[in-house]
Amino acid sequence: IGSNVTSIAEGAFARCSGLATINYNATNCTTMGSSDSPAFINSNADATINIGSNVTAIPEYAFIGILGNGTLVVPNPVTSIGQCAFKSCVGYTSLTIWNSVTSIGESSFENCSGLTSVTIPSSVTSVGNRAFYNCSGLTSVTIGRGVTNIGESSFENCSGLTSVTIPSSVTSIGTSVFSGCSGLTSITIPNSVTGIGTSAFSSCSGLTSLTIPNSVTSIGASAFSGCRGLTSVTIGNSVTSIGNGAFGNCSGLTSITIPNSVTSIGRSAFYNCSSLIDITIPFVGSRADLPSTTISESSVFGYIFGYSTYSQTGTIQQYYSSSSKIYAYIPSSLRSVTVTGGRLRYGAFYNCSMLTSVTIGEDVTDIENYAFYNCSGLTDIYVNRTTPPTALSASFNIRTATVWVPCG
């Protein structure tokens, strides 16, 4: 394809299954087919694509329909790779992107399932949405230090991925970026990251441990949901919000500490954490600043584990007023809870008979009626305040338990 070609029509090379080589030298070409009818539609040729030394941009949809083979080289002086440019080129096993490239377009390498490794050079500043979506053969990815934005679902469903290097230039990890990367066994989130988006690491079932650095302030909804292999999570002390279902279905977790910096926890944040034994929370319910006049399901312990409005298998009944209740999915494995602050509202731990130990922190101010009603398994209550919090006459309904208070 010569340098004087400015556009290539839809389906121009349709069904050219015998193609062995494509020499692309179209330095002025701006369009190659469309999303509905790419230039090479239905060719399914395992052709080698050679990009000329004077080409600066690869158009959208350029080589959809070409399977490719061996190594794909995106050479100097190419600066941009268009949307879907190499989508479904499944025959390529290796990709070389030269350091003239500054942007990788949306879905540009989507479904390139034969690729095994990718190095994104430091010249690249943005990786488009779904850029490497469903590249199931990828085992390692190195992202250059120039990248500041990783698009939504960029590496989603790269199930073979075992290693990712995220540079300190990245400030946020967006929606579903690594969702479904079930082969990942570890991930290092750099201190530059301030936000972890919705479903960012959902279904990364191979992860066993996780450290969220102090730079992060928000954890999005379902961010780590379905990470069944997680046994250890450390949450940095700058996090202020944890989204709905953030750690849902993390069935391997046995312990979690939520720092005092957190002011809101979403519904079902720890849904089906079925192995959880102990948890430390900065308050009970959804928010640290929940008004005292608010009477709702968001004021009881079960809120963060998810609930139904009617009885279900595995639920326990929790009243949050004399006439209002939910059926919460509090894990039966749970034994120990530490609450570091806030008010323990009406019915806070209602029917939590699985608990054997509760620690009431220094910043807990009040314990309202029925807060520990029918917590029949409690054997130890630790009160860390030198001046005990105010408790009402019906706060506890426990026959025998040892109450531990500060000496003196």
Side-chain angles (χ1 to χ4, degrees):
I1 301 173
S3 59
N4 293 327
V5 174
T6 57
S7 67
I8 299 174
E10 293 180 345
F13 301 100
R15 298 181 178 85
C16 292
S17 58
L19 279 173
T21 304
I22 301 170
N23 295 314
Y24 183 80
N25 297 293
T27 55
N28 298 307
C29 186
T30 55
T31 59
M32 288 183 68
S34 67
S35 59
D36 294 328
S37 183
F40 293 93
I41 189 171
N42 294 328
S43 290
N44 295 326
D46 58 355
T48 299
I49 301 171
N50 298 315
I51 299 170
S53 59
N54 294 315
V55 174
T56 58
I58 299 171
E60 296 179 348
Y61 320 115
F63 299 104
I64 294 178
I66 298 298
L67 303 181
N69 69 83
T71 299
L72 174 63
V73 178
V74 181
N76 269 329
V78 173
T79 59
S80 64
I81 302 170
Q83 178 178 333
C84 301
F86 298 97
K87 183 179 179 179
S88 299
C89 292
V90 298
Y92 285 111
T93 57
S94 177
L95 172 64
T96 300
I97 302 174
W98 282 59
N99 59 12
S100 57
V101 175
T102 58
S103 66
I104 297 174
E106 182 175 332
S107 298
S108 49
F109 297 97
E110 181 176 333
N111 293 330
C112 289
S113 56
L115 289 177
T116 58
S117 66
V118 168
T119 297
I120 299 172
S122 295
S123 57
V124 173
T125 57
S126 66
V127 179
N129 297 346
R130 298 170 67 97
F132 295 92
Y133 177 88
N134 207 32
C135 290
S136 55
L138 273 181
T139 58
S140 67
V141 170
T142 300
I143 302 171
R145 62 182 180 274
V147 173
T148 57
N149 178 57
I150 304 174
E152 295 181 4
S153 302
S154 292
F155 299 95
E156 184 174 355
N157 287 341
C158 292
S159 55
L161 199 59
T162 59
S163 172
V164 175
T165 301
I166 303 173
S168 58
S169 54
V170 173
T171 56
S172 67
I173 299 174
T175 300
S176 299
V177 169
F178 296 102
S179 177
C181 293
S182 54
L184 274 179
T185 56
S186 65
I187 188 79
T188 299
I189 301 172
N191 287 324
S192 56
V193 172
T194 59
I196 298 173
T198 299
S199 300
F201 295 94
S202 64
S203 299
C204 290
S205 54
L207 284 177
T208 57
S209 64
L210 172 68
T211 298
I212 298 171
N214 290 335
S215 57
V216 173
T217 59
S218 64
I219 300 171
S222 302
F224 298 96
S225 65
C227 293
R228 299 188 304 273
L230 272 181
T231 58
S232 170
V233 173
T234 301
I235 300 176
N237 58 20
S238 295
V239 172
T240 60
S241 65
I242 298 174
N244 295 344
F247 294 93
N249 291 309
C250 290
S251 54
L253 267 183
T254 58
S255 176
I256 185 80
T257 296
I258 303 172
N260 290 336
S261 58
V262 171
T263 57
S264 69
I265 304 172
R267 177 175 174 174
S268 307
F270 298 96
Y271 173 77
N272 199 30
C273 290
S274 54
S275 299
L276 198 62
I277 297 171
D278 65 85
I279 186 169
T280 297
I281 49 179
F283 50 85
V284 173
S286 65
R287 300 189 61 84
D289 58 356
L290 195 68
S292 59
T293 54
T294 299
I295 301 173
S296 77
E297 66 279 358
S298 63
S299 64
V300 293
F301 184 53
Y303 180 83
I304 64 173
F305 296 102
Y307 61 89
S308 173
T309 55
Y310 53 92
S311 181
Q312 296 276 317
T313 302
T315 61
I316 65 168
Q317 191 179 73
Q318 286 207 290
Y319 277 87
Y320 55 90
S321 76
S322 59
S323 58
S324 302
K325 62 182 180 294
I326 59 171
Y327 295 88
Y329 294 96
I330 301 172
S332 59
S333 58
L334 199 60
R335 295 293 178 268
S336 174
V337 174
T338 297
V339 185
T340 59
R343 299 166 63 93
L344 303 186
R345 304 282 290 274
Y346 186 108
F349 292 96
Y350 199 104
N351 275 339
C352 288
S353 58
M354 77 291 288
L355 294 179
T356 60
S357 170
V358 168
T359 299
I360 299 171
E362 293 182 5
D363 295 323
V364 174
T365 56
D366 298 276
I367 304 174
E368 297 185 6
N369 278 333
Y370 300 101
F372 291 96
Y373 181 84
N374 202 26
C375 292
S376 56
L378 271 182
T379 58
D380 295 284
I381 301 170
Y382 298 89
V383 181
N384 288 345
R385 281 180 64 120
T386 52
T387 302
T390 301
L392 300 178
S393 59
S395 297
F396 295 88
N397 176 31
I398 303 167
R399 294 195 176 199
T400 57
T402 302
V403 179
W404 303 83
V405 296
C407 182

